[in-house]
Amino acid sequence: MSTSPARGRAQSPARGVVRGAYYPSWNYASVNPSKIDFSESHFTHLFYAFVNPDPTTFDLVITSNDKPILSDLVSAAHNRSPPVMVLLSIGGGGVGGAVFSNMSGAEGTRSRFIRSTIEVARENDVDGFDLDWESPKDAAEMVNLGLLFEEWRVAIELESTASGRRRLLLTAAVYFSNHFFLPGKSPCRSYPSSSIAKNLDWINAMCYDYHGSWDTSATGEHAALYDATSNVSTSYGLTSWTSSGVPRQKVVMGLPAYGRSWELKDAAEHGIGAPAVGVGPGADGVLKYTEIKGLEGWTEVYDMGTGSAYAYRGTGWVGYDDRRSVAQKVKYAEVKGLGGYFFWAIGQDLNWTLSRQGMALRVFNSRIINYNT
């Protein structure tokens, strides 16, 4: 294993604005890493989704299927000027919380997991980790999460000093709000903000999936920037994070490159919150942005009041983000002094239309990351 940083790579942790995106490994056939558009610096960081620990030993595992895909992604990202960083996203929505709960519950198992993540990162030339634990189920697990972050940060600092290599990044994908308050998310609990503020480089707040197939009584914008009727909105969630003590520059806003659909009760009533009777087109009512833009004969509406878009035809309805709502949200992040934004996920955008909105606005120019210092 080399003990010196790779030529042309960042020698210190990233500073400035994050323009990130998750790269789902299952999209490899349709979006080979060589096809990712890096030409306008759309991205500063990519998150490889997903890898997981062994449920018994808690060692992080890179499967034989992951190995070549990850290698291709790292090669494509690092061979850019400036290079794009690649982080391993550990977990994901489909992974049972029991593994993370068991791992984080004792110092010994936390230590083994942490040690294995550092070894895997160095072996695969990645730039850090993104923990996607969805989600600690109670206050005790939140305490253990804070301990995990603290011990992880100490370990990567010590490894960097001992090896002479740049420090690995440490981030986490988190609920849109610092605290859980929606029905079905009981018991009420909050993230360990003090540990997050001290130990993480930033958090990726998942500002989407506010509404969906679990509630078919009315249409809803699943990633609304604002909601005058409730706290279920991106603005509320991000404010809860900054109010909890996490520095603004460590809060990164999530943007979806997909929409959620409903079947309207009455074709004549088609606004946000219109009565519905079930899910609309797409698998479980989910449509990628590429699929939404391929719908023929649908009427598209941009709603500045919620910072979102929707489209309808007959009794079909879908709420999503378009280029205008993405631009509005990115501007919001700039004004609030946030750390940037990320997309879920590469492979869902159409010709990088959404991905380029931040650069098109020329936002955050005073804080653009310099990878060469």
Side-chain angles (χ1 to χ4, degrees), residues 185-213:
K185 298 297 182 181
S186 296
C188 293
R189 60 207 185 277
S190 299
Y191 281 92
S193 293
S194 59
S195 178
I196 287 172
K198 177 184 176 182
N199 298 306
L200 297 190
D201 289 285
W202 69 83
I203 54 169
N204 289 333
M206 296 182 285
C207 300
Y208 37 76
D209 291 345
Y210 306 149
H211 305 279
S213 58

Side-chain angles (χ1 to χ4, degrees), residues 211-212 218-223 256-264 269-274 276 278-303 308-322:
H211 305 279
T219 64
E221 286 290 2
H222 83 103
Y258 66 94
R260 289 191 173 273
S261 69
W262 282 263
E263 185 74 17
L264 295 170
E269 193 171 353
H270 46 63
I272 299 172
V279 298
D284 199 27
V286 175
L287 288 169
K288 300 174 185 177
Y289 185 69
T290 54
E291 295 171 320
I292 294 169
K293 298 305 290 184
L295 298 172
E296 296 184 0
W298 287 55
T299 300
E300 297 182 73
V301 179
Y302 168 52
D303 187 72
S308 61
Y310 64 91
Y312 62 91
R313 179 185 179 185
T315 57
W317 194 97
V318 60
Y320 59 102
D321 271 349
D322 68 358

Side-chain angles (χ1 to χ4, degrees), residues 333-371:
E334 177 190 23
V335 170
K336 295 296 183 180
L338 302 182
Y341 56 89
F342 73 90
F343 287 95
W344 179 273
I346 285 180
Q348 298 176 339
D349 197 356
L350 176 64
N351 299 325
W352 313 100
T353 300
L354 303 180
S355 305
R356 70 168 59 100
Q357 292 311 305
M359 294 304 293
L361 280 174
R362 296 182 178 273
V363 299
F364 307 141
N365 281 350
S366 65
R367 295 194 291 134
I368 293 298
I369 294 170
N370 181 354
Y371 288 86

Side-chain angles (χ1 to χ4, degrees), residues 39-259:
S39 61
E40 296 183 48
S41 298
H42 296 155
F43 308 114
T44 58
H45 300 79
L46 297 178
F47 304 89
Y48 182 85
F50 293 102
V51 294
N52 278 286
D54 181 278
T56 302
T57 66
F58 306 117
D59 289 336
L60 190 62
V61 176
I62 302 295
T63 69
S64 58
N65 289 332
D66 284 317
K67 190 76 174 180
I69 303 174
L70 179 60
S71 177
D72 285 354
L73 182 65
V74 170
S75 178
H78 285 175
N79 290 325
R80 303 292 164 178
S81 183
V84 173
M85 293 187 174
V86 177
L87 287 78
L88 294 173
S89 189
I90 304 170
V95 176
V99 175
F100 291 112
S101 177
N102 293 337
M103 175 272 292
S104 65
E107 183 178 359
T109 50
R110 291 194 299 267
S111 177
R112 177 158 183 165
F113 168 75
I114 290 168
R115 183 173 61 252
S116 76
T117 64
I118 295 172
E119 292 172 354
V120 166
R122 293 312 192 191
E123 289 169 1
N124 292 276
D125 199 26
V126 299
D127 302 288
F129 324 101
D130 173 66
L131 183 67
D132 187 2
W133 179 357
E134 299 184 28
S135 299
K137 68 178 184 296
D138 54 31
E141 289 193 355
M142 287 296 189
V143 170
N144 290 337
L145 178 63
L147 292 172
L148 174 64
F149 288 151
E150 183 173 349
E151 293 164 12
W152 210 343
R153 181 59 179 253
V154 169
I156 62 178
E157 293 278 4
L158 289 174
E159 188 275 341
S160 177
T161 299
S163 68
R165 303 179 72 174
R166 52 160 180 73
R167 179 179 64 77
L168 295 163
L169 293 170
L170 182 58
T171 72
V174 295
Y175 189 56
F176 83 100
S177 168
N178 168 261
H179 53 279
F180 290 75
F181 62 91
L182 293 177
K185 298 297 182 181
S186 296
C188 293
R189 60 207 185 277
S190 299
Y191 281 92
S193 293
S194 59
S195 178
I196 287 172
K198 177 184 176 182
N199 298 306
L200 297 190
D201 289 285
W202 69 83
I203 54 169
N204 289 333
M206 296 182 285
C207 300
Y208 37 76
D209 291 345
Y210 306 149
H211 305 279
S213 58
W214 52 92
D215 181 7
T216 58
S217 62
T219 64
E221 286 290 2
H222 83 103
L225 179 57
Y226 305 107
D227 187 337
T229 67
S230 77
N231 290 335
V232 187
S233 68
T234 294
S235 58
Y236 175 84
L238 296 176
T239 299
S240 79
W241 274 109
T242 57
S243 298
S244 75
V246 178
R248 293 176 180 270
Q249 67 271 21
K250 287 192 174 187
V251 177
V252 173
M253 174 181 60
L255 300 167
Y258 66 94

